[in-house]
Amino acid sequence: MGFRKMEFFSDSTDAIRLILEDNITYHQYASTVMNIRDLIAKDWIINLKHILRENNNSADYLAKKGAHQYEALILLDIPRIEMNLMLFADASGVQFLRE
């Protein structure tokens, strides 16, 4: 049994616009965007939504960590210990100012 309805959040309105609306024929990430569009077109309901970076500290933290990783993919079975407060804040709707 798989998921039939999913919501994805991004702090990049440009990325959401590229995926949902733009003509990307000559865009540098055209093949990646087309792969995302192909996944979205499958038999499920997908919602892409904008979220402020300040409201999604956990994802922002992981993105920053990932930018400095040598491995192509890292799977986390459980959240890193330093993420506990961030996850709690995200779930509670706490906002932080950008640094």
Side-chain angles (χ1 to χ4, degrees):
M1 183 161 105
F3 296 101
R4 305 298 303 155
K5 184 176 182 179
M6 292 183 278
E7 290 185 338
F8 292 93
F9 296 90
S10 174
D11 64 5
S12 172
T13 54
D14 290 337
I16 293 172
R17 183 179 39 77
L18 272 175
I19 293 166
L20 296 178
E21 300 171 6
D22 283 351
N23 176 351
I24 56 156
T25 305
Y26 300 107
H27 195 278
Q28 65 181 0
Y29 297 118
S31 63
T32 301
V33 173
M34 288 306 300
N35 287 339
I36 294 169
R37 288 179 180 179
D38 289 344
L39 287 170
I40 289 173
K42 294 194 180 290
D43 187 27
W44 48 26
I45 298 169
I46 302 287
N47 290 315
L48 298 176
K49 296 183 177 184
H50 179 258
I51 188 169
L52 295 174
R53 186 179 313 146
E54 296 85 356
N55 293 13
N56 201 4
N57 293 290
S58 304
D60 191 47
Y61 170 82
L62 289 172
K64 287 176 183 174
K65 282 292 215 188
H68 300 287
Q69 293 292 138
Y70 294 107
E71 297 88 352
L73 176 66
I74 295 177
L75 299 176
L76 300 175
D77 292 328
I78 58 171
R80 295 169 169 244
I81 191 74
E82 62 267 26
M83 291 183 63
N84 286 343
L85 287 176
M86 284 179 257
L87 288 165
F88 181 74
D90 287 346
S92 302
V94 175
Q95 294 183 8
F96 296 97
L97 297 176
R98 289 186 191 187
E99 295 178 8

